Amino acid sequence: MTAFNRYAILLLTLVFTTGNLHAKAVGLIKGAKELAKYLTKKGGDTAAKELVEIGGEKAVKDVLEKCAKEGGEELTKEVISNSKTYGPSFIRAIKPDPLLFSKSFKNVPKKHSKAAILELNSNPILMKKLIQSHGDEALEVAAMHPGVGAKVISKYGNAGVKAGKQLTTPDVITLSRVQGFDDLPQASKSKFLKILDAKPKQVINALTIAGGGVAIILTTAKVNEIVKIATGTLEAPGELVTVATKFTWGIAILLTLALAVWLLIHLRKSWKISNKKIQRV
């Protein structure tokens, strides 16, 4: 191949690549304009205001460019579709990391979609950290328990994610109010996380019992107590009361029976004496 041929091939490749990139750029600009127009038309003044707050058409274009670069056409179409469904708040939510946040959002059940967008918008730095460390389920748990789900994951890690998927929001609030975890020795931390991971519902019950109905402050002794209650190796105070009540009733029944026997014997003796007196007469 001559030098001229090599030069010609290089030139054609450059022209083709440049033309292709130009076409994509034009497509993105057009797509951003159309999406911004659609969002404003659909959402009215509220959507228009929100769109301006996040940077207007340029912000939409920047997000779509990131999507095209990091996730290709599939991600770009997905983001456009979700933006049309949820409005400018979705653009704002995924803007810090379109690929990561879109992927996680995709795994959130639809009933929690709006809550997930709110969580991403409320604390994007924390949510990015949690998703990177604990996977897509971190966003799901945060959306399931707005305001407390992310806090529980931050404190208890993967055990917090697993617990959050099984517990009710009031239970997660109880878990979020636990104090002293960060000050525990590592061995006690590990013990608490292990039982939380294995038996989250039982741990909530144990926290309520061990804390006497108020927010508990964890110590090594408290962790040991919680583990014993959660695993059933230590009877809870409520159970002890039940046992004591049953014991009291048992004693009462025995005393009643003893009294009945004594009365029968006494009556029998009285009857025999009365019978003898009648016979003498």
Side-chain angles (χ1 to χ4, degrees):
M1 184 181 291
T2 64
F4 176 79
N5 288 339
R6 284 197 297 269
Y7 176 76
I9 291 171
L10 180 62
L11 182 61
L12 287 171
T13 302
L14 182 62
V15 170
F16 176 78
T17 303
T18 304
N20 192 33
L21 290 173
H22 177 71
K24 285 184 178 180
V26 171
L28 285 171
I29 292 170
K30 184 180 178 181
K33 285 183 177 181
E34 290 177 351
L35 180 56
K37 186 177 179 180
Y38 176 89
L39 294 175
T40 303
K41 185 177 180 181
K42 181 184 178 183
D45 293 340
T46 302
K49 183 180 179 182
E50 189 174 2
L51 194 59
V52 170
E53 288 175 354
I54 65 174
E57 185 183 308
K58 183 180 183 304
V60 177
K61 177 177 171 292
D62 290 343
V63 169
L64 293 184
E65 281 182 346
K66 279 186 178 180
C67 291
K69 183 179 179 181
E70 298 174 3
E73 186 178 355
E74 183 180 350
L75 177 62
T76 305
K77 287 182 177 179
E78 188 179 301
V79 167
I80 290 173
S81 176
N82 283 329
S83 298
K84 288 181 177 180
T85 301
Y86 301 107
S89 59
F90 181 78
I91 296 287
R92 183 200 294 270
I94 67 165
K95 188 179 178 182
D97 197 325
L99 181 61
L100 180 70
F101 287 164
S102 293
K103 179 176 174 292
S104 294
F105 182 79
K106 192 175 182 179
N107 292 306
V108 175
K110 287 194 178 296
K111 62 181 179 180
H112 299 307
S113 294
K114 291 183 178 180
I117 291 171
L118 287 173
E119 288 296 314
L120 289 173
N121 280 323
S122 297
N123 202 333
I125 296 174
L126 174 62
M127 288 312 306
K128 182 174 182 177
K129 179 182 176 182
L130 294 181
I131 293 169
Q132 288 175 330
S133 300
H134 308 292
D136 297 333
E137 288 184 332
L139 178 57
E140 181 181 350
V141 171
M144 287 173 65
H145 313 291
V148 290
K151 184 178 179 181
V152 164
I153 299 171
S154 297
K155 185 181 285 188
Y156 305 114
N158 290 331
V161 173
K162 190 171 180 179
K165 293 200 71 175
Q166 297 181 50
L167 299 174
T168 64
T169 296
D171 287 342
V172 173
I173 291 173
T174 297
L175 195 56
S176 72
R177 288 176 176 170
V178 172
Q179 301 175 37
F181 177 78
D182 292 335
D183 298 324
L184 287 172
Q186 189 57 48
S188 297
K189 280 185 181 179
S190 298
K191 183 180 285 189
F192 183 80
L193 291 176
K194 186 177 180 180
I195 192 64
L196 178 62
D197 184 81
K199 297 177 179 289
K201 293 179 181 179
Q202 290 87 336
V203 166
I204 295 299
N205 181 53
L207 284 170
T208 304
I209 293 166
V214 298
I216 192 170
I217 300 175
L218 291 180
T219 61
T220 296
K222 279 293 182 184
V223 169
N224 292 336
E225 182 184 354
I226 288 165
V227 170
K228 287 179 180 179
I229 294 173
T231 54
T233 55
L234 175 68
E235 287 184 316
E239 293 171 342
L240 292 175
V241 170
T242 302
V243 171
T245 303
K246 289 178 179 178
F247 180 75
T248 302
W249 274 106
I251 293 294
I253 291 169
L254 287 174
L255 288 173
T256 302
L257 288 173
L259 180 60
V261 170
W262 180 83
L263 285 171
L264 285 172
I265 294 172
H266 181 73
L267 288 171
R268 187 177 179 184
K269 286 182 178 179
S270 298
W271 179 79
K272 284 182 177 180
I273 292 171
S274 298
N275 195 32
K276 285 180 179 180
K277 286 182 179 179
I278 292 170
Q279 287 178 354
R280 287 175 184 175
V281 172

